[in-house]
Amino acid sequence: MINQDKSKCACWKLTLDGAKTIGMDDDAGYVYRRLLDPVPSGIYECNSRCKCKHTCLNRVAQHPLQLKLQVFKTQNRGWGIRALNDVPKGAFLCVYAGNLLTDATANLDGLNEGDEYLAELDYIEVVEQMKEGYEEDVPDKDKELDKNANEDSEEDESTESDSEERREKNDEQDDDFRPAYDIPQPRGPLLFNKSLRKRDKKNKKEKEGSPAAEKKKQGGDCITISDDEEVREPQRFAAQAGMGGNDFKSKHRSVRAHFGKDEACYIMDAKVQGNIGRYLNHSCQPNVFVQNVFVDTHDPRFPWVAFFALSDIRSGTELTWNYNYDVGSVPGKTLYCYCGAPNCRGRLL
Ligand SMILES: C[S@@+](CC[C@H](N)C(=O)[O-])C[C@H]1O[C@@H](n2cnc3c(N)ncnc32)[C@H](O)[C@@H]1O
């Protein structure tokens, strides 16, 4: 019999501990290789450094394609993917593979080569937003208790936090828009902001003259298009739970800052090199969700982007996920949605 005592596996424990920090139940994660609900804090799989065998139940997204999927030509959305067998809810479908780009390269490549296949690895921002939102749900009374309990230790750390604050102020802020996609909320008391913020002109005007804006004008990270002098961002979908990707700014110092002052999200680009995952189309009523999975590294900047069935899917049905782009967010770009769902928003962008 296969042992599924999750508490005895260090990797599995990472998944459970992470899920706990965002208020999820302790049954989060794989159940006999199926993922019934997304785990925004990430899934940590066993890997070659573990003592377990390749048959371990905590190895799912690292295995090659198990289901029969077919790439087919849709009527009006280019190529798409459909399942050739019935797919049970929670089944692993495939990962999203491509070339790993830095934010700056992705912006340039997106504008020059097309931006339909960019997936943002914004795991850090998503988790930080969830944690911040989660703590905001705590009643003031509880916060007061926490504050009192922490006062002593805070005194000791005051010098450290002062200098962190200074570092934070010095850190150049990247407020670029990042579309994301929507996934169902996990169970538990998680309330996080799922709406996406638009890139509004007012906001941008205020930032004019900032070091970041100057750098962009000089051809640093982005290209300015001539018609409206807007910095045009390529469209891209974020690789984590839908809440506007790294548009989010934490009140606290981000973990990303530990990796360097200018460190921004890495982007997976499947335009030139990729796998079947690149053909998954958008639907306003999707049957697939995305999950960040850590396989070969626990570095939070480099999760694998994996797709799982959101519901039982009949053989022959197209597999789709919700890109959840923010309509109107990319100046000068309109993309109509042809998903055909009863609740279709009509536009992707
Ligand atoms: C990641 S690609 C998906 C695969 C693409 N259909 C192909 O042929 O390569 C994303 C692009 O597919 C098209 N697309 C996906 N879902 C769509 C939808 N619901 N309505 C219209 N176009 C869609 C859009 O052109 C979008 O930029």
Side-chain angles (χ1 to χ4, degrees):
M1 194 184 133
I2 307 168
N3 179 18
Q4 213 197 356
D5 185 350
K6 299 179 178 181
S7 65
K8 289 193 176 141
C9 166
C11 304
W12 223 318
K13 256 189 109 277
L14 282 175
T15 301
L16 294 175
D17 291 348
K20 231 180 267 171
T21 66
I22 56 166
M24 289 188 78
D25 297 345
D26 48 14
D27 59 351
Y30 295 142
V31 178
Y32 292 103
R33 294 206 182 89
R34 302 235 172 110
L35 186 62
L36 300 180
D37 292 298
V39 184
S41 50
I43 295 279
Y44 292 80
E45 292 200 356
C46 294
N47 62 26
S48 55
R49 291 188 199 157
C50 302
K51 284 186 188 148
C52 58
K53 294 185 184 155
H54 73 283
T55 50
C56 163
L57 295 178
N58 196 31
R59 295 168 183 255
V60 177
Q62 61 191 269
H63 288 307
L65 207 61
Q66 306 286 316
L67 299 160
K68 272 197 178 158
L69 304 181
Q70 185 183 54
V71 177
F72 73 106
K73 194 74 191 254
T74 66
Q75 220 173 17
N76 46 12
R77 292 162 295 123
W79 297 96
I81 304 178
R82 63 185 162 209
L84 294 184
N85 305 112
D86 290 349
V87 178
K89 179 178 171 169
F92 167 63
L93 297 162
C94 60
V95 293
Y96 191 90
N99 290 324
L100 197 60
L101 306 179
T102 62
D103 192 55
T105 327
N107 281 339
L108 280 174
D109 277 14
L111 290 161
N112 296 335
E113 313 274 342
D115 51 14
E116 298 94 342
Y117 302 96
L118 304 181
E120 188 166 60
L121 306 186
D122 68 344
Y123 165 80
I124 293 175
E125 286 69 24
V126 168
V127 175
E128 286 177 352
Q129 181 168 6
M130 290 199 77
K131 284 186 177 170
E132 207 156 287
Y134 182 52
E135 278 165 15
E136 267 157 23
D137 294 340
V138 176
D140 284 347
K141 221 169 127 195
D142 293 359
K143 278 186 190 165
E144 202 54 45
L145 285 173
D146 274 358
K147 204 179 142 207
N148 292 340
N150 288 333
E151 241 159 35
D152 291 346
S153 55
E154 270 173 21
E155 266 170 31
D156 298 342
E157 288 167 6
S158 61
T159 332
E160 171 65 14
S161 64
D162 284 354
S163 62
E164 279 203 1
E165 212 171 281
R166 275 198 299 280
R167 272 202 299 273
E168 209 172 306
K169 277 185 187 154
N170 287 337
D171 281 351
E172 201 176 272
Q173 299 278 307
D174 176 359
D175 68 340
D176 293 343
F177 161 75
R178 299 289 182 271
Y181 54 83
D182 204 3
I183 56 171
Q185 284 197 16
R187 287 161 295 161
L190 297 173
L191 285 172
F192 58 94
N193 177 18
K194 290 173 79 177
S195 68
L196 303 175
R197 183 158 61 84
K198 289 190 181 177
R199 289 160 59 80
D200 65 353
K201 289 183 184 174
K202 185 171 159 270
N203 220 344
K204 229 180 278 153
K205 281 224 172 84
E206 282 166 7
K207 296 255 158 68
E208 253 170 40
S210 68
E214 286 308 312
K215 196 172 158 195
K216 281 174 182 168
K217 269 190 198 157
Q218 289 157 17
D221 291 345
C222 290
I223 284 179
T224 308
I225 54 168
S226 53
D227 55 357
D228 60 1
E229 291 300 307
E230 290 273 17
V231 176
R232 181 182 174 275
E233 287 298 306
Q235 70 191 63
R236 67 181 62 154
F237 41 82
Q240 243 301 345
M243 67 221 5
N246 71 3
D247 202 19
F248 167 71
K249 289 285 164 286
S250 175
K251 281 185 243 158
H252 311 283
R253 187 168 179 237
S254 170
V255 164
R256 200 174 286 284
H258 291 291
F259 297 104
K261 190 166 75 70
D262 295 321
E263 190 80 10
C265 287
Y266 285 80
I267 317 284
M268 193 63 86
D269 182 6
K271 172 94 182 173
V272 181
Q273 279 182 309
N275 70 337
I276 196 168
R278 73 204 287 267
Y279 295 112
L280 282 166
N281 282 322
H282 160 89
S283 172
C284 300
Q285 199 174 298
N287 51 17
V288 169
F289 69 89
V290 185
Q291 174 65 52
N292 281 316
V293 181
F294 293 95
V295 177
D296 48 359
T297 173
H298 290 174
D299 187 325
R301 295 171 300 169
F302 304 113
W304 289 22
V305 178
F307 296 103
F308 292 84
L310 188 57
S311 54
D312 293 329
I313 303 169
R314 281 276 178 169
S315 156
T317 312
E318 182 175 358
L319 304 177
T320 54
W321 60 303
N322 189 344
Y323 297 179
N324 208 17
Y325 289 151
D326 196 5
V327 172
S329 60
V330 181
K333 186 143 188 172
T334 303
L335 201 57
Y336 293 103
C337 180
Y338 301 118
C339 74
N343 62 336
C344 178
R345 294 190 303 161
R347 277 174 67 177
L348 275 165
L349 275 175

